[in-house]
Amino acid sequence: MNQGKRVGIVGAGNVGATVAYSLAMLGSCHEIILRDNKIDVAKGKALDMSQAAAAVRSHTIVSVAEEMSDLTNCDVVVVTAGSPRLPGMSRDDLLMINANITKDVIAGVAKYSPDATIIMVSNPLDAMTYVALKESGFERSRVIGMAGILDSARMASFIQEKLGYGGGQIRASVMGGHGDDMVPLARYSTVAGVPLTDLMSSAEINDIVTRTRNGGAEIVGYLKTGSAYYAPAKATALMVEAILKDTKQIHPCAVFLEGEYGHSDVVSGVPVMLGANGAEKIIEMSLDESEKAMFEGSCNSVRTLIDTLNKNKFFDKGE
C-alpha cells in the first residue's frame, strides 16, 4: 500500500484532465489512469498527455480504464465525475444528481482499489465527501474533499490584487464548507508573516471575504458554459502529491468530523496533516466567537444537504 505509483482519476473533463496533466508534468507518479464514460475522449487526452510527458522527459504513463474494473490498486483516486454547476445553478441543485453518480463510482473504487485514499472534487463538495465516506466504508482519514486549498488560493489571489504586492508570500486561511458560507479567516491570513489585519481596513477585508465566497460563481459568470478548472485541478494535484510523497504538510481539506471544533457527523473544511495514509491528523485552531458562529453556520448548511439525502432515503437504496 501507498507506494506512490498509481493515481486513478474518475471524470476526464476539464478538472480531471488538468489534474492528470499537472501530475504527469511533475512526474509525481508512475501511472495515471483516466476513467470516463466518454472513452474515446479519455483515450485522446491520455495520448496527448503521454506525449507531453515524453516532451518533458517525465516517466509518467497516462492510460485509460474502459471499465471501473480496470481502475485497480490505485494509491489515490480522484473523483471529479458529476454534472457541472451551470449559470444560475446553486451547488445544492446538484445534490441528488451527483450523489447518485458518486455512489456508483465509489462502489467501484472500494471494490477495485480498496487501499486507496479518495479525494472528492465533485460538487456539492462536502455532501459528496460524506456520500463517498458512507458508501466506501473506508476510515475517515482516507476520504478527503478538495476545497480549502482552492478557496485559500482564491482569497490569496484577491489579497494580492487589492494590495498590489506580496505575490508568492500570501498565506490565506479558509475553513468551513465549500459554498457561499465558507469561513475565510482574515485573522490567520498573512503576507510575509504580517497579519492581513495590519495591512487592510475592515471594509477591504470584508470585500475580499465576500469575493472569496463567490469566487466560483464569478468564474462561472464569465465562462457561461462551464466552471473553473485550472485552480481546482492544481489544488487537487497538491493534495495528491502530499499523499504520494508523505509530506506531512498541513492543508485545509474537507473531512468527516467526530467532535473536532464541537461538530460531529458532518463534513467540513479544516486544517489537516496530509501524508501517505491521507488526512492523518486534524489540526484544531482556536476560533473566536464570531469565527465559531460562522463555522457552525457552514456546518449546518452541509447538514441540510445530508438531511435532504436522508429524507430521500438515499443511503437506504439497494439494501
Side-chain angles (χ1 to χ4, degrees):
M1 183 181 170
N2 294 318
Q3 295 303 302
K5 300 291 185 188
R6 183 177 280 193
V7 174
I9 299 177
V10 183
N14 285 339
V15 175
T18 309
V19 173
Y21 178 73
S22 182
L23 294 172
M25 290 301 93
L26 293 166
S28 302
C29 51
H30 177 63
E31 187 176 5
I32 296 167
I33 307 172
L34 299 179
R35 167 76 186 130
D36 196 280
N37 289 335
K38 297 172 182 170
I39 293 171
D40 282 349
V41 171
K43 284 181 176 177
K45 291 183 179 183
L47 264 177
D48 198 6
M49 277 182 242
S50 293
Q51 291 158 12
V56 298
R57 298 181 181 176
S58 161
H59 66 279
T60 302
I61 299 159
V62 186
S63 62
V64 171
E66 296 198 19
E67 305 289 342
M68 278 302 288
S69 55
D70 298 327
L71 204 75
T72 55
N73 301 322
C74 293
D75 298 282
V76 179
V77 175
V78 175
V79 180
T80 71
S83 171
R85 190 160 67 124
L86 302 173
M89 182 189 286
S90 73
R91 286 188 174 89
D92 302 6
D93 295 334
L94 294 176
L95 182 63
M96 295 314 296
I97 299 169
N98 285 352
N100 283 301
I101 293 170
T102 297
K103 189 174 202 170
D104 289 343
V105 168
I106 295 302
V109 173
K111 184 173 182 180
Y112 299 110
S113 286
D115 294 326
T117 295
I118 297 170
I119 298 178
M120 292 301 301
V121 185
S122 311
N123 277 319
L125 187 280
D126 305 277
M128 292 308 99
T129 304
Y130 185 93
V131 169
L133 179 71
K134 294 298 182 186
E135 294 299 318
S136 66
F138 288 4
E139 56 267 35
R140 66 170 178 161
S141 60
R142 291 200 291 126
V143 182
I144 317 166
M146 187 292 299
I149 297 176
L150 169 62
D151 295 329
S152 297
R154 284 176 171 161
M155 186 175 176
S157 173
F158 297 146
I159 290 168
Q160 182 179 347
E161 188 180 316
K162 195 173 271 286
L163 279 179
Y165 59 84
Q169 298 179 304
I170 299 168
R171 300 290 179 267
S173 184
V174 178
M175 283 179 59
H178 184 54
D180 301 334
D181 50 12
M182 65 182 73
V183 186
L185 298 171
R187 207 161 55 91
Y188 284 108
S189 300
T190 61
V191 182
V194 180
L196 192 61
T197 46
D198 289 350
L199 299 171
M200 288 184 177
S201 67
S202 295
E204 288 173 320
I205 289 171
N206 287 337
D207 284 348
I208 284 169
V209 166
T210 300
R211 198 172 172 201
T212 300
R213 285 180 173 147
N214 298 312
E218 183 177 346
I219 292 171
V220 168
Y222 285 124
L223 294 178
K224 303 289 192 286
T225 57
S227 52
Y229 55 95
Y230 291 119
K234 190 60 187 178
T236 306
L238 287 169
M239 290 174 63
V240 174
E241 278 204 281
I243 293 165
L244 295 181
K245 293 180 178 176
D246 194 23
T247 64
K248 312 291 190 194
Q249 290 179 334
I250 296 172
H251 292 286
C253 302
V255 292
F256 184 78
L257 300 179
E258 294 176 340
E260 294 85 5
Y261 294 93
H263 295 275
S264 295
D265 195 36
V266 71
V267 168
S268 195
V270 296
V272 304
M273 182 185 81
L274 286 182
N277 295 308
E280 296 181 357
K281 181 180 177 64
I282 294 176
I283 312 297
E284 289 200 65
M285 300 194 298
S286 56
L287 303 180
D288 64 25
E289 291 308 312
S290 165
E291 291 159 350
K292 282 178 185 172
M294 283 193 292
F295 187 70
E296 182 167 359
S298 190
C299 287
N300 286 339
S301 291
V302 179
R303 284 193 182 95
T304 301
L305 299 181
I306 294 168
D307 287 345
T308 302
L309 291 170
N310 286 326
K311 281 174 189 163
N312 284 293
K313 296 189 166 22
F314 176 79
F315 296 106
D316 301 338
K317 289 177 186 173
E319 292 180 3

